[in-house]
Amino acid sequence: GQQLNQSPQSMFIQEGEDVSMNCTSSSIFNTWLWYKQDPGEGPVLLIALYKAGELTSNGRLTAQFGITRKDSFLNISASIPSDVGIYFCAGQLQGAQKLVFGQGTRLTINP
Amino acid sequence: GAGVSQSPSNKVTEKGKDVELRCDPISGHTALYWYRQSLGQGLEFLIYFQGNSAPDKSGLPSDRFSAERTGGSVSTLTIQRTQQEDSAVYLCASSYDRASTDTQYFGPGTRLTVL
């Protein structure tokens, strides 16, 4: 089945640093999504991307839908302690309802 | 509450027993999804309900897994004869399903431990 390769698996950064993570796939996706999951909670949608090349921001978060429709990245600028958590990319094939998830990037911030 | 709710939050069971996990979607959402999240992994699609249409069961890992959605609202995921590899967090999500781009909102999950 389809798989998303997400990297890095984990990041340890200092507060205030910028963060970048990405996802790649061998399949073409119609939609790319980025979720954040806190301990004991379900994932919460951060950014949704619907067009190839689209660049979308949500506060300190910026994400892009790759031109080839096979990749996406998420950047977080000026990280703060509440950014700690696990970030997941997810893709949606055209006409499909189910989401295909990456393995997640665990972000740890040292104050 | 306004969000997706799931119960129980934690379930510990013995190998071979059956378990039922419940999901209450957001009111008005016609689409409901079940995903499984194994330790340190991403979410794996299990099943999808859309209104009165036949569910998409393509993600169910074996015939021990089944799900129902009664009255277009509450859903129950049943795992029969549980195995240790069934241990995971089971997440439910719902959406309006007016378009495939409708946001899926996730519940907090049920953590299942099979001893």
Side-chain angles (χ1 to χ4, degrees):
Chain A
Q2 296 84 18
Q3 288 189 339
L4 295 183
N5 297 310
Q6 185 171 350
S7 64
Q9 288 187 333
S10 60
M11 301 184 73
F12 298 85
I13 64 169
Q14 297 294 122
E15 183 177 351
E17 288 185 8
D18 296 343
V19 172
S20 184
M21 59 191 79
N22 70 86
C23 270
T24 60
S25 171
S26 58
S27 301
I28 292 175
F29 285 95
N30 213 46
T31 302
W32 281 92
L33 306 163
W34 285 93
Y35 284 84
K36 178 176 184 259
Q37 186 177 30
D38 292 327
E41 302 291 331
V44 174
L45 182 65
L46 299 174
I47 292 181
L49 303 158
Y50 303 111
K51 295 180 182 179
E54 180 181 357
L55 183 70
T56 297
S57 293
N58 178 7
R60 293 177 297 105
L61 278 62
T62 301
Q64 184 158 31
F65 191 142
I67 291 292
T68 65
R69 298 170 63 191
K70 294 183 178 181
D71 63 302
S72 177
F73 71 75
L74 173 70
N75 289 340
I76 306 172
S77 63
S79 58
I80 59 177
S82 61
D83 292 334
V84 167
I86 303 177
Y87 292 80
F88 290 99
C89 63
Q92 200 169 28
L93 295 171
Q94 186 169 7
Q97 302 298 122
K98 66 181 183 183
L99 298 178
V100 178
F101 281 82
Q103 305 96 320
T105 295
R106 181 181 294 275
L107 180 61
T108 303
I109 298 176
N110 299 315
Chain B
V4 177
S5 60
Q6 293 186 244
S7 61
S9 56
N10 282 282
K11 176 71 176 179
V12 180
T13 190
E14 294 180 347
K15 178 182 173 180
K17 296 284 182 66
D18 298 351
V19 295
E20 284 189 352
L21 313 179
R22 177 187 168 105
C23 172
D24 285 84
I26 294 172
S27 177
H29 281 188
T30 57
L32 187 148
Y33 310 76
W34 284 97
Y35 292 86
R36 178 170 69 174
Q37 184 176 26
S38 300
L39 184 64
Q41 298 297 314
L43 283 69
E44 171 192 11
F45 168 78
L46 297 177
I47 188 170
Y48 157 62
F49 295 91
Q50 177 190 5
N52 296 321
S53 302
D56 176 358
K57 303 180 181 180
S58 61
L60 294 179
S62 77
D63 58 7
R64 297 186 296 105
F65 288 72
S66 62
E68 290 184 342
R69 189 177 187 196
T70 54
S73 181
V74 172
S75 177
T76 302
L77 177 69
T78 301
I79 308 173
Q80 297 179 309
R81 305 182 302 282
T82 52
Q83 303 295 312
Q84 290 184 333
E85 60 263 30
D86 299 335
S87 296
V89 176
Y90 289 82
L91 290 152
C92 174
S94 70
S95 73
Y96 280 113
D97 201 34
R98 292 165 299 190
S100 61
T101 54
D102 285 335
T103 299
Q104 295 182 26
Y105 295 89
F106 284 84
T110 294
R111 180 175 297 277
L112 175 66
T113 303
V114 182
L115 302 177

